[in-house]
Amino acid sequence: MPLFSQSMEIILPHYTPLIQTIVAAFVVAFFMGALAHRLRISPIAGYLLAGVLVGPFTPGFVADASLAAELAEIGVILLMFGVGLHFSLRDLLAVRNIAVPGAVLQIAVATALGAGLSYVMGWGLVAGLIFGLALSVASTVVLLRALESRNLIETEKGRIAVGWLIVEDLVMVLALVLLPSIAAASQEGSVDDIWLQLSGTLLKVGGFFALMLLVGRRVIPWALHWVVHTGSRELFRLAILAIALGVAGGAAFIFGVSFALGAFFAGMILGETQLSKRAAEETLPLRDAFAVLFFVSVGMLFDPSVILEQPLPLLATVAIIVVGKSIAAYGIVRAFGHDNKTALIVAASLAQIGEFSFILVALGTSLTILPADARDLILAGAIFSILLHPLVFTAVAGRAGEKKLPGSEKAAQEIQREASRSGHVVLVGYGRVGRLVAAGLRERQFGFVVIEEEADIARAAIADGLTVVRGNAADADVLKEAGVDEARLMLIAIPEGYEAGAIVEQSRNTKTDLYIIARAHSDGEVEHLNRFGADKVIMGEREIARVMLGSLFTPKRTS
Ligand code: AMP
């Protein structure tokens, strides 16, 4: 029946490994990420486990590892681009006295410990070095999340931890660049070869740096400004991606340096421009998506049997990450004359490993200089340390954590005072609308507390002399801190109506008779907010139309 078989051919899915890999990775990662979220652990652990599930070491569907690895490379490019965008030389210089020697010393200690374990395991010197380095560098994602959750980023302790991490990142970038030539030389033999290879690599890196500093630094911002002036959002988004991927690709294909370094540099150049915030926003969704693929592909490499077969080396690996590194960091921070609390927080922040370790592992594996055992131990160590991190952080730094921004003691007292009056107003968001509302409330001498999520904006509100609670207003703790249970009125001045719905719901749960006024931008949002219990919803677009019509007969220039 030729007709039948022909139509079957059309109906049956043809061979589509790339689509299968992407579909499996995203779907399984979503479920594991959601599970991690419910269990209040880092979603990274969920994505890694998703990788294990679709990997070759567990039964069932097996995704294409080489395709996954290639997709992951895009994740690395975008992650490194993001690191570059946020890399601020000024922040680093502010804490350089402690961050630079601290990070270098800590890397040395962790690498030595790792190399020691590697020696016991009977691996080679280069393998030991990579193993140690992989254990020494903490994950930016995990660290920022831990600091964020305790509002520590804007404090001195937070700045030291972040600066320390930037130095670690820079050392890793260097390691990634040099590793291929070290590997090639170590496999081929003599010491002369190593020097030859190294100087060749450094020359190429130097060439790339020179080109970027002399040409890239002028051409890229110029091109981007041109694109901005076209007014096309799509073109801007495309330009950012073209810059990130193009520079990374050029670095790899023309100069033979890593994608990662190229992307880091592209990010750093854009980070200097006024457009960096928008660039970061535009790449964020794609970066998050590909970062998930990156974590999944790393999980695919992991053979879980290492947990049963090598329990002691695994224990030693986790101990180096969680205990060894922390003690070293604590000692170093104390030796530099900082107080106990700062030392504890810096040490606890860094007691984990993550994306850079995985990038090192992936490179070491592809260069065949890292034994499979070492790779599995690093991956297992990462998974365990990420899982343990919230516990470690709470145990070590928990009481040292700060709930509020600097000046927060004052804020707490003021909230008390406002609450003890007839009930204060809670204003959510200090943006375009919130700012105007705050000015009006102040003029009318209302007692009010601002809840603002963004650190910079919260700081601006404090500078304006307001009482501010920093955090997401959908969070019950944040609402409590703003004294919602004592408030009489809530004004939600954020643009996302659906997100505002969650705030309304939480606040209603806390105080049933709170009068809530919210802001919306579509009929759907208005309905949503009403359903969740807002007393009054003001739809921006309707108000604009109303005022426009009202202005028809009283034309007057706005200032
Ligand atoms: P705008 O879009 O200019 O009106 O600004 C809205 C402001 O609200 C921004 O400063 C946001 O950081 C802030 N914001 C948005 N969502 C939340 C939230 N869930 N909790 C607290 N602040 C928020």
Side-chain angles (χ1 to χ4, degrees):
M1 281 201 286
L3 197 66
F4 182 66
S5 69
Q6 220 176 14
S7 61
M8 277 300 280
E9 233 171 83
I10 296 166
I11 293 165
L12 277 179
H14 37 285
Y15 183 61
T16 49
L18 180 62
I19 298 179
Q20 281 177 19
T21 303
I22 294 180
V23 170
F26 277 135
V27 172
V28 181
F30 165 70
F31 282 109
M32 297 309 287
L35 186 69
H37 185 82
R38 273 224 59 83
L39 300 175
R40 288 171 169 266
I41 50 179
S42 166
I44 295 175
Y47 307 147
L48 289 170
L49 291 178
V52 178
L53 288 181
V54 297
F57 301 105
T58 48
F61 173 80
V62 176
D64 187 318
S66 65
L67 282 177
E70 211 167 310
L71 290 169
E73 197 72 57
I74 300 182
V76 172
I77 290 176
L78 295 175
L79 277 172
M80 290 299 292
F81 179 68
V83 174
L85 270 180
H86 291 122
F87 175 81
S88 149
L89 204 57
R90 199 161 359 108
D91 283 357
L92 182 60
L93 289 179
V95 292
R96 67 178 180 282
N97 289 340
I98 168 107
V100 175
V104 172
L105 268 172
Q106 195 205 19
I107 289 177
V109 171
T111 307
L113 288 172
L117 180 60
S118 152
Y119 181 76
V120 175
M121 300 291 289
W123 305 325
L125 182 66
V126 178
L129 217 62
I130 300 175
F131 183 70
L133 272 177
L135 298 187
S136 68
V137 58
S139 154
T140 318
V141 183
V142 177
L143 174 115
L144 289 181
R145 208 169 277 253
L147 293 177
E148 256 301 282
S149 68
R150 284 170 179 75
N151 279 336
L152 283 165
I153 292 195
E154 300 299 322
T155 62
E156 193 205 8
K157 310 164 189 69
R159 255 179 249 126
I160 293 178
V162 172
W164 189 298
L165 194 84
I166 292 176
V167 179
E168 285 190 356
D169 287 0
L170 289 179
V171 174
M172 289 306 133
V173 168
L174 202 68
L176 290 180
V177 170
L178 296 179
L179 208 57
S181 52
I182 294 178
S186 77
Q187 278 159 355
E188 279 154 26
S190 81
V191 179
D192 286 352
D193 283 348
I194 295 194
W195 286 118
L196 208 67
Q197 288 273 3
L198 275 184
S199 41
T201 305
L202 287 177
L203 216 65
K204 281 192 268 182
V205 173
F208 173 69
F209 274 17
L211 186 73
M212 289 305 283
L213 290 178
L214 295 176
V215 183
R217 219 164 144 200
R218 295 202 178 97
V219 172
I220 292 176
W222 172 80
L224 212 56
H225 274 112
W226 178 81
V227 174
V228 169
H229 285 126
T230 64
S232 163
R233 189 172 190 154
E234 184 176 291
L235 208 57
F236 181 76
R237 210 173 278 163
L238 199 58
I240 298 287
L241 275 181
I243 291 168
L245 295 174
V247 174
F253 301 131
I254 303 172
F255 289 91
V257 284
S258 65
F259 283 121
L261 182 71
F264 176 75
F265 236 76
M268 217 164 77
I269 285 179
L270 282 190
E272 288 180 358
T273 68
Q274 297 291 325
L275 296 163
S276 64
K277 190 156 179 273
R278 243 189 97 190
E281 279 166 12
E282 295 295 345
T283 43
L284 207 61
L286 207 66
R287 188 181 79 195
D288 286 354
F290 277 97
V292 168
L293 289 182
F294 169 69
F295 292 122
V296 172
S297 95
V298 171
M300 283 176 69
L301 296 174
F302 176 58
D303 181 357
S305 62
V306 70
I307 299 172
L308 297 176
E309 283 165 17
Q310 313 237 30
L312 285 181
L314 177 58
L315 204 66
T317 308
V318 175
I320 292 175
I321 301 169
V322 178
V323 185
K325 265 174 47 164
S326 304
I327 293 177
Y330 178 84
I332 296 164
V333 179
R334 289 294 279 170
F336 274 82
H338 287 271
D339 60 24
N340 189 38
K341 205 161 130 180
T342 305
L344 280 176
I345 286 178
V346 173
S349 311
L350 300 163
Q352 34 85 13
I353 60 172
E355 55 273 16
F356 259 111
S357 319
F358 303 151
I359 298 174
L360 267 181
V361 167
L363 187 64
T365 308
S366 71
L367 295 171
T368 63
I369 44 175
L370 194 71
D373 279 356
R375 180 191 70 198
D376 289 338
L377 285 178
I378 293 169
L379 297 180
I383 294 176
F384 282 110
S385 74
I386 291 173
L387 287 175
L388 284 174
H389 193 247
L391 303 178
V392 173
F393 201 80
T394 308
V396 177
R399 264 165 287 129
E402 274 161 36
K403 272 278 174 208
K404 305 158 206 116
L405 282 172
S408 54
E409 280 314 309
K410 200 177 109 235
Q413 281 167 10
E414 271 181 42
I415 292 168
Q416 287 279 323
R417 212 172 38 236
E418 297 302 348
S420 64
R421 291 192 202 167
S422 59
H424 59 299
V425 176
V426 176
L427 170 63
V428 179
Y430 195 63
R432 289 161 299 178
V433 175
R435 240 167 251 244
L436 297 175
V437 173
L441 289 173
R442 203 180 225 183
E443 224 175 80
R444 291 167 182 76
Q445 298 189 332
F446 274 86
F448 66 100
V449 175
V450 175
I451 302 182
E452 171 56 58
E453 194 174 33
E454 287 283 328
D456 293 352
I457 300 175
R459 231 180 299 137
I462 292 176
D464 290 345
L466 301 178
T467 311
V468 181
V469 174
R470 154 116 196 270
N472 188 331
D475 183 338
D477 288 341
V478 171
L479 286 175
K480 197 164 151 232
E481 210 174 308
V484 165
D485 45 352
E486 307 275 350
R488 64 177 147 140
L489 178 65
M490 174 177 259
L491 301 168
I492 307 181
I494 68 167
E496 294 88 6
Y498 292 101
E499 191 179 334
I503 302 173
V504 174
E505 193 182 22
Q506 269 301 344
S507 312
R508 267 278 165 271
N509 287 343
T510 316
K511 190 165 195 277
T512 43
D513 62 345
L514 182 70
Y515 192 83
I516 305 178
I517 304 178
R519 163 185 174 193
H521 290 283
S522 70
D523 293 338
E525 287 178 351
V526 174
E527 197 193 316
H528 180 80
L529 283 161
N530 280 330
R531 192 150 24 95
F532 276 76
D535 295 290
K536 190 174 177 119
V537 182
I538 293 160
M539 151 116 160
E541 280 68 7
R542 270 187 219 154
E543 291 307 307
I544 294 172
R546 200 173 56 78
V547 178
M548 270 188 177
L549 287 171
S551 310
L552 281 181
F553 305 104
T554 49
K556 208 174 82 184
R557 271 186 184 281
T558 48
S559 53

